[in-house]
Structure formats: C-alpha cells, structure tokens
Amino acid sequence: AQKVTQAQTEISVVEKEDVTLDCVYETRDTTYYLFWYKQPPSGELVFLIRRNSFDEQNEISGRYSWNFQKSTSSFNFTITASQVVDSAVYFCALSEAQRDDKIIFGKGTRLHILP
Amino acid sequence: SQTIHQWPATLVQPVGSPLSLECTVEGTSNPNLYWYRQAAGRGLQLLFYSVGIGQISSEVPQNLSASRPQDRQFILSSKKLLLSDSGFYLCAWNIYGRTSGNTIYFGEGSWLTVV
C-alpha cells in the first residue's frame, strides 16, 4: 500500500538558515510520481515539483532543491537561505501510475522562518 | 491553460443546515476530480474522487455526498451539517498520464464554519 511519512511536524529556523524537510514514501509499484506542495497562510495549495520514479536526478530551482533517492525511498526538500515568505505548511505526496489511483499526501510539515 | 474555481470561499452555517460547495475546471476535459478536507492544523483528508461523470468514490463514510453532473463540475453536499464538518475544503483536479505525471492542482479552498 502507498504511504507518505513526513516525520517533522513543525520546524522553526532563523531567516537565512538552510532547512531540509524530510519525506519518506512506501509503494510497491515501479512507476510512480512524487510531489511537493506549499500551503501558505492563505490556504491554497501550490504545486512546487513533480518527480517520476525513473528520474533520480536532483533538481534545483532558485533557493529550492530536491533530493530523490530510491535506495532510501526518500524525497527531501531543502530551502537554502530561507526567507520569511517561505513560512508555510509543506506537503509531500505520492501517486502510483494508475488511471484511478489517488494522490496520497503526508501529514505536512509546518515551517516557521523567524526574522 | 487550465483553471479551477470553487465557491463560496467562506461560509458560516448552523448545525443541521444543508451545504453545497461547487467546483468547476476549465481548459481541460475528462479530468479526475477530488474533494479534500483539512481540519484546523491537520493534514489533507480525501473525501471523494471521480474519474468521470456520475462516477463517485467515497473514502470516508459521513454525512457528506458528492456529485459530478457534468464533466468539469464537482459538487460537495450535505443535507444536515454537523459541528465536525467545519474545516477547509479543497477541490482538485488532475489528468492521468505520463505527460502530466498525475500532478494534482487545487482550487482556492472554501472555509466552512458550522455553528
């Protein structure tokens, strides 16, 4: 069965520090997709990144980077030089590549960036 | 481009009153549609999902129901609200396939307070 675990419930760091949000997943499929979403205080979930199971290349987008490691079933998210605007709840999610499969979300990590 | 809208954005309803939240997707056809609920400070709970008109799968037995009268319209309803129905409701959509990677996109959300 699918499962996504975000063990960090809440994290607080001082602005400009780097912070890594952990995500561990479980799936029996060989083809699947992993996602990260950001939920700012306004509530709307914003899509950040998708990774498919065949592509283990790490990705960098500005201050954001993602480390996908199939060997440890992890898809961690790092924010470099954090800013107050990064304060939000971040969700990791998993989807197996079937037509009617659901997207399974982790419980989220609430990130506080302190000025 | 595709867009998703849901309404109303905020509502306060008395216990025992009916509920209707509506969601529409534009710019795509035959999407998968989802209703999620997020209680205060909690993760995302999948309530219903639909892979086509009239096809509804329920994840959690409760006093809520969903309908999909048209391809890009998804409605969440209740005949009698309970206090425990309070929360943030999110409609979402995705398209199955390797190109989209099953990426799910969310509406703006609806804040429901049952009093």
Side-chain angles (χ1 to χ4, degrees), chain A residues 3 7-8 10 23 37 44 49 55 67 75 80 89-90 93 98 101 104 112:
Chain A
K3 186 178 180 182
Q8 303 151 308
E10 202 159 343
C23 174
Y37 288 83
E44 184 176 354
I49 190 173
D55 183 1
N67 184 347
F75 186 42
T80 303
V89 181
Y90 290 86
Q98 300 299 322
D101 267 344
I104 300 300
H112 300 279

Side-chain angles (χ1 to χ4, degrees), chain A residues 21-64:
Chain A
L21 309 182
D22 298 333
C23 174
V24 175
Y25 64 93
E26 294 177 26
T27 177
R28 287 176 295 186
D29 274 14
T30 56
T31 302
Y32 52 90
Y33 304 97
L34 296 163
F35 311 86
W36 275 95
Y37 288 83
K38 175 182 180 179
Q39 186 178 37
S42 61
E44 184 176 354
L45 269 88
V46 178
F47 166 70
L48 295 178
I49 190 173
R50 177 186 75 241
R51 240 355 184 200
N52 74 49
S53 52
F54 298 123
D55 183 1
E56 283 194 75
Q57 280 192 347
N58 292 330
E59 182 154 341
I60 298 175
S61 177
R63 296 183 296 106
Y64 294 173

